[in-house]
């Protein structure tokens, strides 16, 4: 019996035949991906992504380097370029030596971690210049007369108490009688553990919240004055200057109750949406095989839809699933970080660090109406979508500007250059993810086509007011917003469906179970209709950490793998 060829999987004929007859196509495809990877590991052409070795180039090397004070060691400061070269070499090796995982999302994330880790590590090392310029917000007990301690271990300088701070939220109000906030620069005279803690905090400060390099997209206090080379003071923080809403509409909560209820609501709603989208996706072979699925595997209710309608529904399902998944995990992270910090870590940490203070946790996403309906594609990417990687994405332009190479460029020119940098680097990390995925037919050009399309769309948006300014001004607000919504939705669909989304589905990302259990299956409300897919517990052994020894006695490659 002849079988339909499925080029994006390169399956043996026996398995291709099974795809046409199986009652659970997603499970069969996932099993094939896993078997392929484990076979590659066995024959030496693939490696597991393991902790901590796989983070050596992007994270561990720069952390070790930055824990060594180099403010008074010019030769060590210049060595940062050699450190950067080592980071690049190790990250490229990670992406090209077959490192991946039998977990489809971890296999994709291997490239993301290597590429983004390199971008962020180089940003910290070369752009932020942390030992000279970076400072974080810390707190200390109030004292009427601080003794001169010369900026030593406790981080306090020769500074008089500034009086009570303005309580910008409940977390600050609870502490303002006993504590005050101050800017802590790199503690070059502190102990190794103090320097390590400072560097680790810097490494995870992706959004810049609580640091003096925080962007305008998040509410943050007024930045301290530039630090002179002879200054050992630790200036107080003007927390009262922290706005409730940022430039793009991102808000911070002022009470623990509102923060907790908001995050719990986002987590609960996200849980249901993720489960619903996962169940919908499992009925469509597109989300298992990508665009090259055999037509006979399409369920009748989907096969009856016009092709363009089906394509739009797939884009909508994917967008909702990605948005709900990202928001779910970011909200869960914020809730656990804020409320469990004082329960898990020593009391001495909670009296110094600000991880349990509300102003540290602005909303993960910006408001949809302000940014998308009023801002179009530029507002979608620059305000609505999560800004977790913003600092790193514009770092090349920041560096060029700091070095004076852009001194003659206009503000608008710098903004366009920053936008081009952000889209290029965003495409790069997703292309790296495609490269490390298990299927060997993913297209690394797909993310560049998608994000390049977004750049072009923003350029087109900028031209409309120039040529049709009078007509646009006469349009009622609701009509402008409707036009923006339609344009954004159609543009992202047209530029992303046949490139980025097709590549992600072909990489098997939608075979991943984002949550360990299915509430809709458990409640008996809905199931996928596939044989053997009714179990409400979704995670198996490939979702758990496992210890693996180093290959051929290479103990440094031993670690925990996913």
């Amino acid at each position: 019996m002849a079988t339909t060829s499925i080029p994006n999987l390169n399956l043996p004929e026996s398995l291709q035949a099974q795809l046409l007859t199986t009652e659970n196509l997603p499970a069969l495809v996932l099993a094939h991906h896993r078997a392929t990877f484990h076979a590659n590991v066995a024959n030496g052409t693939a490696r597991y992504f393991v902790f901590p070795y796989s983070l050596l180039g992007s994270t561990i090397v720069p952390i070790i380097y930055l824990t060594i004070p180099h403010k008074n060691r010019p030769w060590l400061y210049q060595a940062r370029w050699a450190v950067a070269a080592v980071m690049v070499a190790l990250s490229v090796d990670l992406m090209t030596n077959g490192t991946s995982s039998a977990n489809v999302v971890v296999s994709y994330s291997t490239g993301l971690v290597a590429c983004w880790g390199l971008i962020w590590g180089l940003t910290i090392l070369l752009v932020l210049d942390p030992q000279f310029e970076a400072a974080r917000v810390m707190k200390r007990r109030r004292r009427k007369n601080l003794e001169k301690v010369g900026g030593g271990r406790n981080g306090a300088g020769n500074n008089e108490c500034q009086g009570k701070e303005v309580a910008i939220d409940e977390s600050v109000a609870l502490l303002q009688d006993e504590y005050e906030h101050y800017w802590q620069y790199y503690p070059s005279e502190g102990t190794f553990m103090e320097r390590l803690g400072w560097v680790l905090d810097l490494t995870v400060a992706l959004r810049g919240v609580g640091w003096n390099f925080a962007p305008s997209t998040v509410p943050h206090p007024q930045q301290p004055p530039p630090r002179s080379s002879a200054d050992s003071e630790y200036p107080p923080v003007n927390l009262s200057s922290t706005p409730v809403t940022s430039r793009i509409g991102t808000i911070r909560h002022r009470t623990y109750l509102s923060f907790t209820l908001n995050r719990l609501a986002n987590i609960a709603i996200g849980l249901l949406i993720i489960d619903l989208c996962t169940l919908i996706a499992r009925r469509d072979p597109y989300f298992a095989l990508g665009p090259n699925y055999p037509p006979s595997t399409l369920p009748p209710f989907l096969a009856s839809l016009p092709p363009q309608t089906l394509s739009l529904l797939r884009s909508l399902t994917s967008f909702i699933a990605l948005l709900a998944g990202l928001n779910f995990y970011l909200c869960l992270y914020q809730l656990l970080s804020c409320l469990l910090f004082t329960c898990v870590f020593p009391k001495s940490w909670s009296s110094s660090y600000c991880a349990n203070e509300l102003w540290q946790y602005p909303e993960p996403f910006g408001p949809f109406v302000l940014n998308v309906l009023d801002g179009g594609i530029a507002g979608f990417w620059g305000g609505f979508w999560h800004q977790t990687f913003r600092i790193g994405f514009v770092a090349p332009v920041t560096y060029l500007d700091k070095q004076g190479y852009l001194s003659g460029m206009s503000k608008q020119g710098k903004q366009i250059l920053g936008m081009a940098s952000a889209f290029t680097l965003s495409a790069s990390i997703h292309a790296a993810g495609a490269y490390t995925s298990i299927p060997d037919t993913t297209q690394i050009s797909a993310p560049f086509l998608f994000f390049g399309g977004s750049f072009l769309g923003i350029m087109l948006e900028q031209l409309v007011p120039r040529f049709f300014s009078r007509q646009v001004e006469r349009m009622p607000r609701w009509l402008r917003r409707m036009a923006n919504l339609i344009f954004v939705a159609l543009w992202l669909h047209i530029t992303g469906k046949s490139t980025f989304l097709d590549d992600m589905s072909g990489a098997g990302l939608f075979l991943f179970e984002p949550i360990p259990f299915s509430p809709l299956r458990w409640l008996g409300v809905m199931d996928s209709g596939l044989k053997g897919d009714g179990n409400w517990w979704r995670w198996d052994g490939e979702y758990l950490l496992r210890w693996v020894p180093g290959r051929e006695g290479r103990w440094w490659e031993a670690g925990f793998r996913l």
Side-chain angles (χ1 to χ4, degrees), residues 28 40 51 58 65 82 101 154 180 212 216 304 322 358 368 400 407 422 455 464 474 538 544 557:
L28 181 64
N40 291 338
F51 301 97
S58 62
Y65 170 74
S101 172
N154 61 3
E180 62 182 356
N212 63 346
S216 59
S304 63
L322 291 172
L358 293 169
F368 184 82
L400 293 174
S407 57
F455 179 82
V464 172
R474 290 177 180 176
R538 307 305 302 165
L544 305 177
E557 292 185 3

Side-chain angles (χ1 to χ4, degrees), residues 139-443:
K139 60 176 179 269
R140 61 192 173 199
R141 287 191 176 275
R142 291 182 174 278
R143 287 180 289 177
K144 292 184 178 180
N145 294 301
L146 295 174
E147 298 178 0
K148 186 178 280 190
V149 293
R153 295 185 178 182
N154 61 3
N158 183 19
N159 198 20
E160 296 223 349
C161 186
Q162 299 294 316
K164 285 186 178 181
E165 298 172 335
V166 175
I168 61 171
D169 59 44
E170 183 182 2
S171 62
V172 176
L174 293 172
L175 301 170
Q176 65 178 347
D177 290 334
E178 295 184 55
Y179 293 91
E180 62 182 356
H181 293 80
Y182 68 98
W183 291 103
Q184 185 195 34
Y185 290 94
Y186 181 77
S188 56
E189 299 179 11
T191 64
F192 171 79
M193 293 305 297
E194 288 169 342
R195 297 194 303 272
L196 178 62
W198 192 93
V199 174
L200 289 175
D201 197 4
L202 173 66
T203 302
V204 299
L206 303 184
R207 297 179 77 186
V209 179
W211 288 79
N212 63 346
F213 52 82
S216 59
T217 53
V218 294
H220 62 83
Q222 181 181 355
Q223 295 184 358
R227 183 188 190 188
S228 64
S229 59
D231 186 12
S232 62
E233 298 289 345
Y234 287 72
V237 179
N238 182 14
L239 275 185
S240 62
S241 64
T242 308
V244 177
T245 306
S246 73
R247 172 181 60 81
I248 62 171
T250 303
I251 66 170
R252 61 176 177 84
H253 291 267
R254 286 180 282 184
T255 66
Y256 281 113
L257 179 61
S258 67
F259 170 78
T260 304
L261 291 178
N262 176 273
R263 297 301 186 267
L264 287 176
N266 274 275
I267 291 169
I269 295 173
L271 194 70
L272 295 176
I273 293 176
I274 292 170
D275 197 25
L276 177 62
C277 290
T278 301
L279 287 168
I280 292 174
R282 292 187 75 81
R283 299 186 180 194
D284 187 349
Y286 169 82
F287 291 104
L289 298 171
N292 297 314
Y293 60 88
S296 60
T297 60
L298 196 64
F301 69 94
L302 293 178
S304 63
L305 296 175
Q308 292 303 323
T309 301
L310 180 59
S311 181
L312 281 170
L313 288 176
R314 286 167 172 168
S315 292
L316 181 62
T317 301
S318 304
F319 170 73
I320 293 174
L322 291 172
L323 176 61
L326 287 171
N327 192 57
F328 171 83
Y329 281 111
L330 290 172
C331 285
L332 181 63
Y333 165 76
Q334 288 190 346
L335 186 65
L336 294 177
S337 297
C338 182
L339 300 185
L340 297 183
F341 180 79
T342 54
C343 302
V344 176
F345 294 99
K347 187 176 181 180
S348 59
W349 287 28
S350 61
S351 62
S352 301
Y353 292 91
C354 305
N356 60 342
E357 297 185 12
L358 293 169
W359 63 273
Q360 293 262 6
Y361 302 99
E363 294 285 341
F365 287 79
F368 184 82
V369 172
L370 173 65
N371 291 292
V372 180
L373 300 190
D374 291 337
I377 297 178
F380 179 90
W381 289 117
F384 167 69
W385 201 248
H386 74 96
Q387 302 294 297
T388 307
F389 305 138
R390 184 187 186 95
I391 298 173
F393 282 167
V394 300
V397 179
T398 303
Y399 178 81
L400 293 174
D401 197 25
K402 287 176 66 175
Q403 298 300 315
Y405 296 115
L406 306 181
S407 57
M409 184 176 290
S410 65
K411 181 179 179 181
Q412 185 179 21
K414 292 178 182 178
Q415 290 175 341
I416 294 175
L417 192 59
M419 185 170 58
S421 171
F423 282 130
T424 301
L425 293 181
S426 182
S428 298
I429 66 173
H430 289 91
Y435 184 79
T436 59
S437 295
I438 299 173
D440 58 4
T441 54
T442 51
Q443 301 294 321

